[in-house]
Amino acid sequence: MYDNEKSANPTFAERIFRVYDTVNAYFRKHYLIGLMLAVGCFAVVPLVVESRYVLHLFVICFIWMIGNSALNLVLGFRGCNCLAGSALMGVGAYASALLSLRLGWSFWWAFPGAVVISGLFGLALGLIVGRFAPVAVITGTMAFRTICEVTAINWVDLTNGPMALSGIQSPSIGFLGIDRFSRSMYFYFTLLVVCFIMLMIYRIARSPFGRTFMCIKENLELAQSIGVHRYKFDVIAFTILGFLVGVAGVCYAHYITVMSPEFLGSTYMNQMTTMVLAGGRGTLAGPLIGTFVFTMLPEILRATSELQEILYGAAAIAVILWLPYGIVSLPQVLRSKLISERKKDKKEAS
Amino acid sequence: MTLFISLVFGGIIWGSAYALVALGVTIVYGMMRVINFSHGDFFMLTAYFMWTFVTLLGMNFFLGAVLALAAALLFGALVERFLIRSLVDAPIINSALLTMGISAVMQNAVILLWDPQQKNIATPFNPNSYQWGPIAITQNQMFILITTAAAIIGFNLILKRTRLGKAIRATFQDRDVAALNGINTKWIYSLTFNLGISMACIGGILLGPTFTVYPTMGAAATLKSMGIVVMGGLGNFTGAIIGGLLLGIVESLAIGYISSGFSNAICFAAVILVLSIKPYGILGEKRL
């Protein structure tokens, strides 16, 4: 795709891209070192930063990273037009909140319980939506979200409706004498979960199973002709989505400690889709970068909530128009722009 | 039984307006393969323009309606020219995200430009209803039924009887061959998009004064039109009309017999049910 021949007197841009290539190739080979470096960079943040607000932003960012990476598995790797990420995450969050509030389960019991519940919802959704035409999947998953939202608003006895569930307890570790997680503890906890989920998604994406996903995305007919059962794979994909996104939901519910039906609204659905697609769908780093940029950007700009939504919308438009493969493709786009222009100049000169 | 008949009749009235709005989504998807999530926001924008013209500036109701339609269509043309045009041939999730972005921008811009309060538009219609047995109809509902029928028939005539309609259908069938025959396909695309949008705008004129006007009314309309269109078969005109009427009746029955809070959930459960039986919609074809 790119011209790799090395000219005798490289320009500044070419030099930079050479360094980028070397670094990129190294981390592609030793992904674990890259992961540990990234984790190390993040891990020192609570030691350096005093502000509780910045830590809060990081925790929120990590929670969205879990959800978005899981959504990317279906949206990016499988290429299925699924918009149900935030809905399943909300199901997980509500399940965990209800288990701990109504049944009095501790966080460590509510966590797996809620994850299993959201996984089962994912399975049910997959069984239904997997049969739909590709475009109908958009509507099917949106319909699922609406049904969840309407139920959460109107089933007041269970979910407290628009008054929201409040007082969800923060996780505690009894034998260490910690009765509720402090913010920096939550920071490390969610960071750990992100690493775990990322390793899992890495394993899935690089396994024959994950490659089958990409095969279905690239060429459905070919995949079917060599015996891939699309429906079965879609059901499995939605189930995995339910489980992983449920983890994010549980972390969210016990961190924010208030769960309202607003979470199931279209705002969060758009936000998740924007983060995944703007970061770069079908790549491992894309959703992480997208999440980071889109959690921090509104804070840096200090925007009001309306302006924030406009910003999300405008960013979504800009990404689709100029960077269809997301922020991760920025170096390649820049390279092809900068270096091909130089070639043109050369040709004109000679 | 009387309740049932009157509910079904009420459902047909709202359903016809839903069908009109949904028809726009189906036209845009069928012709351009672009799924338009900002469709309902044009519906909302028209209602806001209308509120501005009729209530704020005190214009005549019908004049205000026409001006609101023109203003919204002008905006639609700009959106098409600068944003939608690049989406032809792009994967469907791209158009979904871009139009979701347009939708978010429009909704929040409306909050900033006007304000988030609910608004009412005064209508010149008599609020008393005419009664024939179990069927009751107000002047406003008659206006909705007649305008919807006229818009659908008018659109059908444009598409089936005129040279322009022939060009649109030709572009729909094969863009390259149409272009070879001297049809300006870019122009046809922008025209198609605006025709689709105009369905939503007419819907806004009809339903805005009937209900209240608020910034997220468009999102609800988009959601319902998506359900209708997919239920009827994407890209299929008759399917959209059948789907619209069906959804209107289901909603009306759900409100009448179960509860108004759950009506939306029941509507979408119906959509999912239909799609589970016919994955490509009632009249859909497998090629989509």
Side-chain angles (χ1 to χ4, degrees), chain A:
Chain A
M1 199 169 158
Y2 305 110
D3 218 335
N4 277 330
E5 63 177 86
K6 291 188 176 159
S7 53
N9 49 345
T11 59
F12 181 65
E14 274 177 332
R15 270 170 214 243
I16 292 207
F17 279 119
R18 266 185 212 172
V19 174
Y20 168 80
D21 279 343
T22 329
V23 174
N24 197 12
Y26 181 78
F27 283 126
R28 260 176 201 286
K29 226 168 156 187
H30 309 277
Y31 68 92
L32 269 178
I33 296 179
L35 184 70
M36 274 151 74
L37 262 178
V39 172
C41 286
F42 278 124
V44 295
V45 168
L47 306 177
V48 181
V49 179
E50 287 286 308
S51 155
R52 279 167 59 80
Y53 184 66
V54 174
L55 279 188
H56 164 77
L57 281 182
F58 271 101
V59 173
I60 289 289
C61 177
F62 289 154
I63 291 172
W64 284 115
M65 275 179 179
I66 303 167
N68 291 336
S69 301
L71 182 61
N72 181 38
L73 208 59
V74 177
L75 203 64
F77 288 114
R78 165 60 189 84
C80 188
N81 308 323
C82 168
L83 301 178
S86 73
L88 286 169
M89 192 166 155
V91 167
Y94 258 112
S96 164
L98 289 172
L99 285 178
S100 66
L101 283 178
R102 299 267 196 265
L103 299 180
W105 292 16
S106 78
F107 174 78
W108 304 106
W109 284 108
F111 191 154
V115 169
V116 167
I117 291 174
S118 69
L120 289 178
F121 268 82
L123 173 69
L125 183 66
L127 284 173
I128 298 168
V129 171
R131 294 217 182 273
F132 291 5
V135 185
V137 172
I138 295 186
T139 315
T141 47
M142 266 170 58
F144 173 73
R145 203 216 79 227
T146 315
I147 292 172
C148 289
E149 188 187 6
V150 170
T151 312
I153 291 174
N154 288 293
W155 196 350
V156 179
D157 294 338
L158 184 74
T159 63
N160 245 2
M163 281 87 76
L165 285 169
S166 55
I168 307 164
Q169 59 191 171
S170 187
S172 60
I173 306 176
F175 61 87
L176 289 178
I178 300 162
D179 53 343
R180 66 189 300 274
F181 269 26
S182 68
R183 202 156 278 188
S184 56
M185 281 166 82
Y186 223 98
F187 180 96
Y188 288 116
F189 175 69
T190 43
L191 183 60
L192 202 72
V193 178
V194 172
C195 293
F196 183 69
I197 298 277
M198 279 319 290
L199 277 176
M200 212 155 126
I201 289 174
Y202 179 86
R203 294 310 307 167
I204 293 174
R206 293 286 177 272
S207 68
F209 178 75
R211 295 198 191 281
T212 315
F213 270 3
M214 289 173 230
C215 175
I216 296 174
K217 178 175 81 174
E218 296 300 334
N219 195 336
L220 177 63
E221 280 80 12
L222 185 66
Q224 281 174 332
S225 76
I226 54 170
V228 171
H229 197 310
R230 184 194 63 83
Y231 180 58
K232 201 174 81 186
F233 273 87
D234 275 6
V235 172
I236 297 172
F238 272 92
T239 315
I240 296 176
L241 174 70
F243 274 107
L244 295 186
V245 143
V247 173
V250 175
C251 293
Y252 184 84
H254 287 267
Y255 176 66
I256 301 288
T257 69
V258 176
M259 196 59 210
S260 72
E262 225 168 84
F263 190 85
L264 296 162
S266 58
T267 315
Y268 285 95
M269 177 186 83
N270 291 353
Q271 193 174 321
M272 270 179 101
T273 322
T274 312
M275 282 173 176
V276 173
L277 265 70
R281 79 195 96 143
T283 59
L284 287 167
L288 302 183
I289 295 172
T291 313
F292 190 76
V293 170
F294 278 95
T295 346
M296 299 304 172
L297 200 61
E299 300 302 327
I300 292 167
L301 296 177
R302 295 253 162 223
T304 61
S305 73
E306 278 89 36
L307 273 177
Q308 228 174 71
E309 296 238 346
I310 291 182
L311 188 77
Y312 268 111
I317 295 171
V319 161
I320 293 295
L321 286 184
W322 294 307
L323 278 176
Y325 295 98
I327 300 172
V328 280
S329 68
L330 189 64
Q332 285 152 21
V333 171
L334 275 182
R335 180 202 313 248
S336 59
K337 276 243 164 77
L338 290 173
I339 294 181
S340 67
E341 266 166 24
R342 182 162 172 263
K343 276 222 178 91
K344 250 184 248 157
D345 294 345
K346 245 187 192 172
K347 257 184 204 157
E348 276 162 16
S350 61

